[in-house]
Amino acid sequence: MAVDKLTVKKIATLAKLEFNEEQAVSIQQDLSRMLDFVNKLNEVDTEDVEPLVYMLNERPTLRKDEPLQEISQQEALKNAPDKDTDFFKVPKVIKR
Amino acid sequence: MSVYNKYQAVIGLEIHAQLSTKSKAYASDSATFGDLPNTNISPVTLGHPGTLPVLNEKNIEFAVKLGLAVGATIRENNEFARKNYFYADLPKGYQITQDKTPICTGGFITLFPNTAKEKKIEITRIHMEEDAGKSIHDQDPFNTLVDLNRAGVPLVEIVSEPQISSAEEAYEYVTQVRKLLRYLEICDGNMEEGSLRCDANVSVMLKGASKFGERTETKNMNSIRNVKRAIEHEIIRQIDVLENGEKIEMETRSFNAVDGTTFTMRSKEEAHDYRYFPEPDLQPVIVSQNYINGVKTTLPTLPNELYKIYTKEFRLSEYDANLIIESKPLGIYYNELTQYTKNYKAASNWLNGNIKSYLNENGITIENFVIKPAKIAALIQLIDDGKVSNTVASQHIFPIMVKQPELEPLAIAEQNNLIQESNDDDLSSYIEQVIVNNPKEIERFRNGEQQLIGFLMGQLMKTSKGKADPKKANSLLREKLNQ
């Protein structure tokens, strides 16, 4: 199934991704191949099958409302590409 | 007729309330407001790969409490969903929320309860979700700074039906919702700190029209007053657009508190596409009828029930009753006060009068008021027993009690020689003095100027330095003058 250029553009906007025309063509082809594969699966008749959302049948465990600090501020910021002593830094988000 | 009167507004409100839990919705990091940036975090909050959310049981409890309080239907099978969008203050790339299975549906909020303007606004749904972090745009000229302390703090979103028809009603709606949240003690309701937020969906249509006009959504009002201002502005703006022959665009607008206007934030083309799908990491939570019954037993008496007790059983005026239920701590103080005195009316007068003005003048809240209810009740008893007058109690004894809250009102009255004189001999001697000192007025009174009794009583109280029992003195004085 062919994915059109507009769809690729829309998904890119939602995912905040940027690429050039050439890459767009290759992404378009990749996405089309993935959809083809999903369409192949669609050939199976699943009319009476409940969708599988959860891998376990167990009921979830709820947590008591007790605060527990497992990691420090320093550890939190450790993997950030950009930061200062207190904050994560990200490219300026223009305030409209 | 003004063109504005040709139209009617249709308003629906979405309120986000931060739940007053100690820890976050899906992880154990603290949910406290105002701590150092990025200290209340966890691998789950930071959206690290391989981490799994675990739901805080208080989320369910608080949502059920709210649902019961508004008379909603509570869902047994609660599924969670991912609402996907990319933004720097949402590290996971999605918010865990409830999409098709909100925990509460139906119920209502009553506007202007117990008045002629009373109106019920139906609730569409209440669902559980989580807050995002905070982006700071104005501290660094080149970057946006992100603080994730707030990310994952539990929220409930309360969505109303579009049944609100004026900015005034919207103001009342938010006020009532906030009062309820505070009575239930599930949200502190502080709009300035953002623990209560309100988005307004507003449209206008010609009066009597059956089809709603195109609507806009306005955000960023940080007080109830600003919710009202934003809606007032938005109604006028939309009518102006329509009267100009133009069309309303469906869009998200932001409120500017400085000039009271709204401006475009996001147009329809820029609108989010959230691509909801079931959250596979959180299995559905079952809320059983048993559990709901248990929560029901923990509900406090709600303002509307208190109102009924106060007006029907305690025979307070509607005005007095409304003053007391305005805030929960006031009601708690009053309820305790009425454990010690059956003079409900006097108890309400003291609370709404002397006590409130003392609190206002000194900028303190009733929770920090030093005089215990039992002492106020003892003071009321002194007045009821005729030992002190109301005036002496409020002008002389109360100010001393505030400074020395451990003292008993009776002891204060005795030590300061404030006990009212009601024995006939003392009173008769005051009356004699008044008669001797005011011969002209006495004569005029005897000639029929009955209103002079007020003046003569004033003289009597002055002579007795305020200690004469006014009721008794009054009747003795009349008796004497009519002889």
Side-chain angles (χ1 to χ4, degrees):
Chain A
M1 193 178 124
V3 173
D4 61 28
K5 233 184 186 164
L6 263 175
T7 309
V8 174
K9 245 182 131 177
K10 192 184 162 209
I11 296 170
T13 310
L14 289 170
K16 303 264 194 285
L17 292 176
E18 257 180 13
F19 35 77
N20 62 31
E21 273 304 308
E22 204 181 313
Q23 290 166 312
V25 172
S26 120
I27 288 168
Q28 193 181 342
Q29 284 164 358
D30 279 350
L31 286 175
S32 298
R33 271 200 299 277
M34 289 179 211
L35 282 190
D36 284 343
F37 172 69
V38 172
N39 274 337
K40 184 79 192 159
L41 295 179
N42 273 344
E43 286 171 17
V44 182
D45 179 10
T46 56
E47 185 69 25
D48 297 322
V49 182
E50 283 270 311
L52 177 73
V53 179
Y54 308 101
M55 295 301 146
L56 298 166
N57 276 326
E58 284 159 37
R59 286 289 148 218
T61 335
L62 296 182
R63 179 172 53 76
K64 288 242 176 287
D65 183 29
E66 288 159 1
L68 178 69
Q69 208 55 52
E70 288 174 304
I71 59 166
S72 67
Q73 184 198 42
Q74 217 183 343
E75 284 172 302
L77 294 168
K78 199 169 77 181
N79 297 308
D82 197 4
K83 68 206 164 195
D84 62 17
T85 47
D86 290 332
F87 290 101
F88 293 94
K89 282 190 188 179
V90 298
K92 195 96 180 158
V93 181
I94 308 288
K95 230 182 162 184
R96 273 188 274 242
Chain B
M1 190 175 85
S2 152
V3 291
Y4 298 108
N5 292 332
K6 285 179 9 200
Y7 291 88
Q8 72 185 79
V10 178
I11 303 159
L13 295 180
E14 292 169 17
I15 291 181
H16 285 89
Q18 267 181 5
L19 298 178
S20 321
T21 55
K22 296 191 188 82
S23 63
K24 290 188 180 172
Y26 310 112
S28 300
D29 33 332
S30 164
T32 310
F33 175 83
D35 284 348
L36 273 179
N38 296 304
T39 51
N40 297 334
I41 33 74
S42 66
V44 172
T45 300
L46 297 172
H48 280 268
T51 57
L52 288 174
V54 185
L55 187 66
N56 187 340
E57 62 180 15
K58 281 277 172 199
N59 281 28
I60 305 281
E61 183 190 323
F62 286 2
V64 169
K65 267 191 176 170
L66 181 58
L68 288 170
V70 300
T73 306
I74 295 170
R75 183 180 304 274
E76 187 183 9
N77 193 32
N78 282 273
E79 290 175 16
F80 292 86
R82 290 186 182 180
K83 178 178 176 177
N84 300 280
Y85 67 97
F86 279 105
Y87 202 76
D89 56 22
L90 186 80
K92 295 196 300 295
Y94 56 84
Q95 179 191 33
I96 304 179
T97 177
Q98 291 190 292
D99 176 26
K100 295 195 175 68
T101 61
I103 186 158
C104 309
T105 43
F108 56 83
I109 294 288
T110 306
L111 308 188
F112 310 108
N114 311 302
T115 68
K117 286 197 285 185
E118 183 171 301
K119 176 175 174 181
K120 284 184 168 48
I121 304 294
E122 286 173 289
I123 305 276
T124 313
R125 58 185 280 164
I126 299 170
H127 64 259
M128 300 178 281
E129 58 185 30
E130 61 177 326
D131 215 337
K134 214 171 143 191
S135 300
I136 300 154
H137 305 284
D138 54 5
Q139 265 186 32
D140 179 324
F142 309 109
N143 298 287
T144 290
L145 303 180
V146 180
D147 172 10
L148 295 175
N149 281 353
R150 198 179 66 183
V153 168
L155 300 174
V156 283
E157 179 174 341
I158 307 157
V159 183
S160 87
E161 287 291 305
Q163 294 170 344
I164 298 165
S165 36
S166 68
E168 189 203 4
E169 283 185 10
Y171 183 95
E172 169 71 4
Y173 175 87
V174 184
T175 305
Q176 290 297 341
V177 169
R178 181 168 71 171
K179 193 198 285 184
L180 194 60
L181 292 167
R182 286 179 169 167
Y183 260 83
L184 295 168
E185 292 178 25
I186 60 174
C187 168
D188 67 25
N190 189 330
M191 289 192 81
E192 287 74 22
E193 286 181 3
S195 48
L196 191 74
R197 302 195 284 274
C198 177
D199 302 338
N201 291 303
V202 178
S203 69
V204 297
M205 61 182 182
L206 286 171
K207 276 184 180 158
S210 55
K211 197 168 169 282
F212 291 172
E214 189 64 86
R215 70 184 157 85
T216 63
E217 181 180 8
T218 304
K219 291 177 176 290
N220 295 332
M221 294 85 88
N222 68 345
S223 68
I224 302 190
R225 197 176 137 258
N226 281 343
V227 171
K228 184 167 173 246
R229 287 173 72 205
I231 292 172
E232 275 166 357
H233 175 269
E234 191 53 21
I235 291 171
I236 301 281
R237 187 193 70 84
Q238 290 191 10
I239 294 173
D240 287 346
V241 167
L242 294 175
E243 285 292 314
N244 264 336
E246 296 163 42
K247 272 185 171 172
I248 302 292
E249 298 292 335
M250 185 170 165
E251 61 184 359
T252 306
R253 300 179 70 86
S254 182
F255 177 66
N256 177 357
V258 177
D259 61 6
T261 62
T262 65
F263 60 93
T264 302
M265 229 169 97
R266 276 198 299 270
S267 65
K268 194 181 178 183
E269 289 72 40
E270 295 165 289
H272 287 305
D273 174 359
Y274 292 121
R275 296 151 291 150
Y276 284 94
F277 66 85
E279 165 59 277
D281 289 345
L282 267 183
Q283 279 156 291
V285 173
I286 302 295
V287 179
S288 69
Q289 192 55 49
N290 240 346
Y291 177 83
I292 296 171
N293 292 343
V295 173
K296 211 180 260 175
T297 63
T298 70
L299 282 187
T301 313
L302 295 174
N304 282 350
E305 295 166 52
L306 282 178
Y307 179 90
K308 273 181 205 139
I309 296 172
Y310 293 165
T311 52
K312 300 237 159 70
E313 288 174 34
F314 290 7
R315 304 260 161 212
L316 298 187
S317 70
E318 293 172 8
Y319 179 77
D320 286 340
N322 275 324
L323 281 180
I324 297 170
I325 60 172
E326 200 176 270
S327 90
K328 187 177 183 183
L330 273 182
I332 290 175
Y333 193 92
Y334 182 73
N335 284 355
E336 205 178 321
L337 190 48
T338 54
Q339 304 289 305
Y340 297 104
T341 176
K342 294 290 157 238
N343 193 341
Y344 305 126
K345 177 71 187 153
S348 142
N349 288 345
W350 274 92
L351 183 60
N352 290 329
N354 284 61
I355 296 177
K356 256 197 196 164
S357 18
Y358 172 79
L359 297 175
N360 289 342
E361 278 161 24
N362 294 280
I364 47 183
T365 57
I366 188 80
E367 294 102 310
N368 299 316
F369 182 53
V370 288
I371 309 179
K372 296 272 168 289
K375 292 260 175 23
I376 296 291
L379 184 58
I380 292 171
Q381 194 60 49
L382 276 191
I383 302 165
D384 289 350
D385 290 346
K387 293 221 170 74
V388 298
S389 68
N390 229 323
T391 319
V392 165
S394 67
Q395 290 178 6
H396 298 287
I397 302 179
F398 182 74
I400 298 175
M401 291 171 76
V402 169
K403 291 200 185 82
Q404 293 167 280
E406 70 286 353
L407 294 182
E408 283 298 330
L410 178 61
I412 296 175
E414 283 169 352
Q415 278 163 23
N416 295 277
N417 198 20
L418 294 168
I419 298 286
Q420 201 158 256
E421 286 168 14
S422 53
N423 93 35
D424 289 7
D425 292 347
D426 290 340
L427 292 179
S428 297
S429 96
Y430 294 137
I431 290 169
E432 282 309 322
Q433 286 181 51
V434 170
I435 292 175
V436 171
N437 293 336
N438 305 281
K440 275 186 198 151
E441 285 78 8
I442 299 290
E443 203 186 324
R444 280 165 59 199
F445 177 85
R446 286 187 164 139
N447 287 333
E449 285 185 58
Q450 294 283 324
Q451 74 278 13
L452 276 170
I453 191 76
F455 168 79
L456 294 169
M457 268 306 292
Q459 292 302 307
L460 192 151
M461 292 311 286
K462 210 167 150 190
T463 312
S464 76
K465 299 199 175 71
K467 281 159 57 185
D469 176 345
K471 243 189 226 158
K472 207 157 175 198
N474 189 301
S475 79
L476 276 179
L477 179 64
R478 281 176 189 274
E479 210 174 283
K480 187 87 184 172
L481 292 179
N482 291 328
Q483 271 170 9

